[in-house]
Amino acid sequence: MNFFNQIFHNQILMTAIVSWVLAQLIKIIIELIRTHRINWQLIFATGGMPSSHSSLVVALATATGLRQGFDSSLFAIATVLAFVVLYDAQGIRRQAGNQARIINRMLQNVENAGIKVDKNLKELLGHTPIQVMGGTILGIIVALVMN
């Protein structure tokens, strides 16, 4: 029991998780406003506004800085991790999503020719710079409020 108690009382970890959950809930709210339907599948979906990956790692880094000091080694590690995730979210993963979109179009042509394809590739993988910025701002706000 002590293990779980320590986990749930780790303020830095809880800050990051709360920020991630809020980002995912905001995606559901945006989808509700856009389509007038609640899509609970978005709670675990990648892509969209705001970037939950960005929100998670920026909240982690900000909370670490607030709790451990902005000159600490832990803050440096969390910040470097955040930079890698931010770059990946708007760069590599976004390009992978664009490639998946093109491949799916090519597969439609194959299906139109009578060859059955089992499954399309997931297209919504990465984020636009605005979505990453939205997640970044959310992560900072959550960290400041919770710490």
Side-chain angles (χ1 to χ4, degrees), residues 2-51:
N2 192 28
F3 170 76
F4 292 109
N5 192 32
Q6 289 177 0
I7 295 283
F8 289 117
H9 284 91
N10 184 325
Q11 190 65 28
I12 294 171
L13 178 60
M14 288 300 114
T15 299
I17 291 170
V18 166
S19 190
W20 177 83
V21 169
L22 284 175
Q24 293 300 93
L25 289 174
I26 290 169
K27 290 178 189 182
I28 293 171
I29 293 167
I30 289 172
E31 181 74 7
L32 174 64
I33 292 167
R34 199 173 63 77
T35 66
H36 305 289
R37 292 192 337 235
I38 294 178
N39 183 355
W40 289 110
Q41 292 177 336
L42 292 175
I43 199 73
F44 294 111
T46 59
M49 175 66 162
S51 165

Side-chain angles (χ1 to χ4, degrees), residues 11-12 15-16 18-19 22 55 58-67 70 136-147:
Q11 190 65 28
I12 294 171
T15 299
V18 166
S19 190
L22 284 175
S55 179
V58 169
L60 175 72
T62 305
T64 300
L66 291 168
R67 293 226 161 220
F70 290 98
T136 299
I137 292 168
L138 178 62
I140 292 169
I141 291 169
V142 170
L144 290 173
V145 168
M146 289 186 66
N147 293 277

Side-chain angles (χ1 to χ4, degrees), residues 23 27 48-56 89 93 127 131-132 134-136:
K27 290 178 189 182
M49 175 66 162
S51 165
S52 57
H53 290 89
S54 301
S55 179
L56 177 86
R93 286 182 39 237
H127 295 281
Q131 293 168 340
V132 170
T136 299

Side-chain angles (χ1 to χ4, degrees), residues 12 57-58 60-62 64-65 68-85:
I12 294 171
V57 294
V58 169
L60 175 72
T62 305
T64 300
Q68 303 292 322
F70 290 98
D71 62 346
S72 70
S73 298
L74 290 175
F75 173 71
I77 292 166
T79 300
V80 169
L81 171 69
F83 285 142
V84 170
V85 170

